[in-house]
Amino acid sequence: DTGVSQNPRHKITKRGQNVTFRCDPISEHNRLYWYRQTLGQGPEFLTYFQNEAQLEKSRLLSDRFSAERPKGSFSTLEIQRTEQGDSAMYLCASSFWASTVPYEQYFGPGTRLTVT
Amino acid sequence: ELKVEQNPLFLSMQEGKNYTIYCNYSTTSDRLYWYRQDPGKSLESLFVLLSNGAVKQEGRLMASLDTKARLSTLHITAAVHDLSATYFCAVDGYTQNYGGATNKLIFGTGTLLAVQP
């Protein structure tokens, strides 16, 4: 396993269309995070999963956004009725979490979304 | 709400010079991370600082953490062009949730470092 992978790497879509991104974490990692990064800014937390359970969602995650992690493996992030403001880099990260054990999040290459 | 501020936002420096990037955060946290990002690329982990007084060094970069001052520094020694990138600090935005600690990362705005020959 070489790391976190994301597909597609780039997505161009028209406003109003739905898009879905996929993230495959490092295999032994039980936590998976989604972040969004706009140009010139640091990544912002969107949501995270521990195994298959989605445990927290940011207020940035509007009703048009939905994320799943069936069976605690890969995750998908879907955006419905895309808007130009959704244009950003969507980053996925994974980590192994157990109690207070120090951990590190490993990031995937990201999916760059452009909404025209 | 936890906030993370970095300064400077942009740093142009000559090869061979030394400089420091500062990262201040607004609430108690004892876990801080430094990442590097090249244009159009994802984030590469540089340092994980887990306690007050922690200092880590890798090549020309050295990071330190002062949890009492809520301050981390990234020191660059004898800069070379290959260090040109955007550097982010991120604080562990620990929140207790019914599923356990969230440990979401709260990032600073980044410091764009340009090393000139």
Side-chain angles (χ1 to χ4, degrees):
Chain A
D1 190 13
T2 56
V4 180
S5 62
Q6 291 185 247
N7 287 288
R9 298 290 305 278
H10 303 273
K11 179 71 176 179
I12 300 174
T13 190
K14 293 184 178 180
R15 187 178 57 184
Q17 298 294 305
N18 299 343
V19 294
T20 299
F21 310 140
R22 175 177 171 131
C23 171
D24 287 89
I26 294 171
S27 58
E28 62 268 26
H29 285 180
N30 54 2
R31 285 203 168 179
L32 187 148
Y33 297 78
W34 285 98
Y35 294 84
R36 180 173 68 186
Q37 185 179 25
T38 53
L39 199 62
Q41 299 296 317
E44 295 175 295
F45 169 79
L46 292 178
T47 188
Y48 93 102
F49 294 84
Q50 178 156 316
N51 301 313
E52 67 276 5
Q54 186 176 20
L55 296 185
E56 185 169 339
K57 294 192 291 186
S58 163
R59 55 182 169 79
L60 294 175
L61 214 64
S62 76
D63 292 343
R64 296 184 297 106
F65 289 71
S66 62
E68 294 181 340
R69 192 184 182 198
K71 302 179 182 178
S73 55
F74 70 91
S75 175
T76 58
L77 178 67
E78 181 183 15
I79 309 174
Q80 297 183 328
R81 305 181 303 281
T82 53
E83 301 173 356
Q84 287 188 323
D86 297 331
S87 296
M89 174 81 90
Y90 290 84
L91 295 165
C92 174
S94 71
S95 71
F96 179 75
W97 183 87
S99 185
T100 59
V101 173
Y103 78 107
E104 188 173 352
Q105 292 186 24
Y106 296 85
F107 282 81
T111 295
R112 181 166 296 283
L113 173 66
T114 302
V115 182
T116 62
Chain B
E1 181 184 349
L2 175 58
K3 293 187 177 179
V4 182
E5 293 183 348
Q6 283 182 240
N7 68 84
L9 298 183
F10 176 71
L11 178 56
S12 177
M13 54 190 302
Q14 288 184 317
E15 281 191 327
K17 298 294 186 181
N18 305 333
Y19 211 83
T20 300
I21 299 171
Y22 297 89
C23 174
N24 293 88
Y25 53 98
S26 61
T27 62
T28 302
S29 179
D30 57 3
R31 297 180 182 178
L32 190 137
Y33 308 82
W34 283 95
Y35 287 88
R36 168 181 171 148
Q37 187 175 41
D38 291 294
K41 305 293 185 181
S42 189
L43 299 165
E44 175 191 353
S45 178
L46 294 176
F47 299 108
V48 180
L49 303 171
L50 298 173
S51 61
N52 186 42
V55 177
K56 291 196 173 180
Q57 183 165 4
E58 180 72 32
R60 301 175 187 274
L61 301 177
M62 183 174 71
S64 66
L65 177 62
D66 181 343
T67 59
K68 293 180 181 178
R70 300 176 186 170
L71 170 68
S72 180
T73 60
L74 180 66
H75 187 72
I76 303 154
T77 302
V80 293
H81 181 68
D82 286 351
L83 291 179
S84 297
T86 299
Y87 293 84
F88 290 98
C89 64
V91 176
D92 191 329
Y94 176 96
T95 54
Q96 190 62 40
N97 209 319
Y98 58 88
T102 299
N103 298 119
K104 60 189 176 187
L105 295 180
I106 309 299
F107 284 84
T109 50
T111 296
L112 176 58
L113 174 65
V115 181
Q116 311 296 337

